[in-house]
Amino acid sequence: MRTDIKINDYERVDDLHRDGYQIIQDPSRFCFGVDAVLLSSFTRVKKGECVLDLGTGTGIIPILLAAKTKGQQFIGLEIQEESVEMALRSVDLNELEDRVSILHGDIKEVGALFHKQTFDVVTSNPPYMNEGGGLVNPHSAKAIARHEILCSLEDIVAAADKVLHKGGRFYMIHRPHRLTDIMVLMRQYKLEPKRLRFIHPFQDKAPTMVLVEGIKGGNPMVKVEPPLIIYSEAGKYTQEAFDIYYGEGQA
């Protein structure tokens, strides 16, 4: 772990509970949440594979996947320059320069940024809200992260289709109320939905998130996995959720 990385007064360094890895974040912008941790746990990366994370923010998913898997190369694509700069410093902080790269670019231009069908895995924790109306500042970092201002759900799926090779895997976390849109778009772009897992805050509550895996050119058949329950009671994680956050087995 390097100690010469610049940390601004308005930033904080958070422990990722993975091999001592840390991430630099600015609380006034948009800090990663539970959804990024859940997506990195759901994503399967095999030894030697190359991974692209669309809309990587401050690089949380590539860094977590580098910590938890034996993938060869992880690339994060992000349109907000401030987030890119912060992510690059986090990569340096964790001495991951040989495995993790952060690029500044637009998801809608992914076909010009990368060769077609070159990635084994694509991940995305995209904006969940498809309506940006009523936002006080639609150009703020938080608004861009939460609302489909700079990219749509279709932009994400179309980008994954362009860069995944046949048999490659696409992983995304989203909201259950968008599930019909997700499934229709994935099939339209030949990313056949193969695995679903719903995330519930408590056992007796409706799901608030859904994890989705698709296979490029896969055959039709989707498996719905047992739900993941986050809390057994207020303030107490279930054992599975605790293991995901603080020490699941290495992939």
Side-chain angles (χ1 to χ4, degrees):
M1 187 68 61
R2 290 178 57 179
T3 58
D4 60 338
I5 303 301
K6 179 183 177 181
I7 309 296
N8 295 308
D9 292 339
Y10 53 84
E11 295 172 334
R12 73 186 193 206
V13 179
D14 292 335
D15 185 1
L16 296 180
H17 307 286
R18 295 285 170 184
D19 300 333
Y21 287 176
Q22 298 175 316
I23 191 166
I24 301 167
Q25 301 199 95
D26 177 359
S28 69
R29 290 175 61 80
F30 186 83
C31 295
F32 80 89
V34 60
D35 40 7
V37 178
L38 295 172
L39 178 59
S40 69
S41 175
F42 186 73
T43 300
R44 296 172 176 172
V45 180
K46 301 174 185 176
K47 183 177 180 180
E49 289 190 324
C50 295
V51 181
L52 174 63
D53 183 45
L54 299 171
T56 199
T58 53
I60 179 62
I61 291 173
I63 291 172
L64 283 174
L65 288 176
K68 296 192 292 184
T69 78
K70 293 180 170 58
Q72 177 178 328
Q73 187 68 35
F74 303 88
I75 298 175
L77 181 66
E78 173 57 41
I79 196 169
Q80 298 188 75
E81 291 187 38
E82 296 87 349
S83 295
V84 169
E85 190 274 334
M86 207 178 305
L88 287 169
R89 283 188 285 127
S90 288
V91 171
D92 291 343
L93 178 69
N94 294 293
E95 300 181 274
L96 287 170
E97 299 93 331
D98 60 333
R99 296 179 68 205
V100 178
S101 304
I102 306 296
L103 299 181
H104 178 233
D106 190 336
I107 287 169
K108 295 190 289 293
E109 302 299 325
V110 73
L113 295 171
F114 305 102
H115 293 298
K116 292 184 177 181
Q117 302 179 18
T118 54
F119 286 92
D120 304 291
V121 175
V122 171
T123 59
S124 187
N125 178 13
Y128 295 145
M129 308 304 293
N130 57 348
E131 294 182 1
L135 292 174
V136 175
N137 182 3
H139 301 293
S140 74
K142 291 182 179 179
I144 290 169
R146 291 170 176 162
H147 295 260
E148 292 183 355
I149 296 170
L150 299 183
C151 73
S152 67
L153 176 59
E154 183 167 5
D155 292 331
I156 297 283
V157 177
D161 170 52
K162 284 186 176 73
V163 299
L164 279 173
H165 62 66
K166 184 175 175 59
R169 303 180 301 284
F170 173 56
Y171 297 93
M172 181 169 59
I173 187 166
H174 218 291
R175 299 299 189 199
H177 76 272
R178 300 294 303 279
L179 187 55
T180 300
D181 295 336
I182 292 167
M183 303 289 270
V184 168
L185 284 169
M186 287 178 66
R187 177 160 283 181
Q188 177 184 330
Y189 284 93
K190 298 180 174 57
L191 300 175
E192 188 64 27
K194 301 299 287 185
R195 262 196 317 145
L196 297 176
R197 192 173 197 196
F198 292 94
I199 312 299
H200 300 246
F202 295 93
Q203 190 168 5
D204 61 344
K205 299 296 183 181
T208 54
M209 292 177 279
V210 61
L211 292 156
V212 183
E213 176 193 60
I215 304 294
K216 177 72 174 287
N219 295 322
M221 188 182 76
V222 63
K223 176 184 177 182
V224 180
E225 297 187 345
L228 171 59
I229 313 300
I230 302 297
Y231 296 104
S232 56
E233 58 186 76
K236 183 178 180 181
Y237 289 129
T238 62
Q239 187 61 53
E240 184 177 12
F242 182 88
D243 290 344
I244 288 173
Y245 294 141
Y246 298 110
E248 65 185 347
Q250 298 293 307

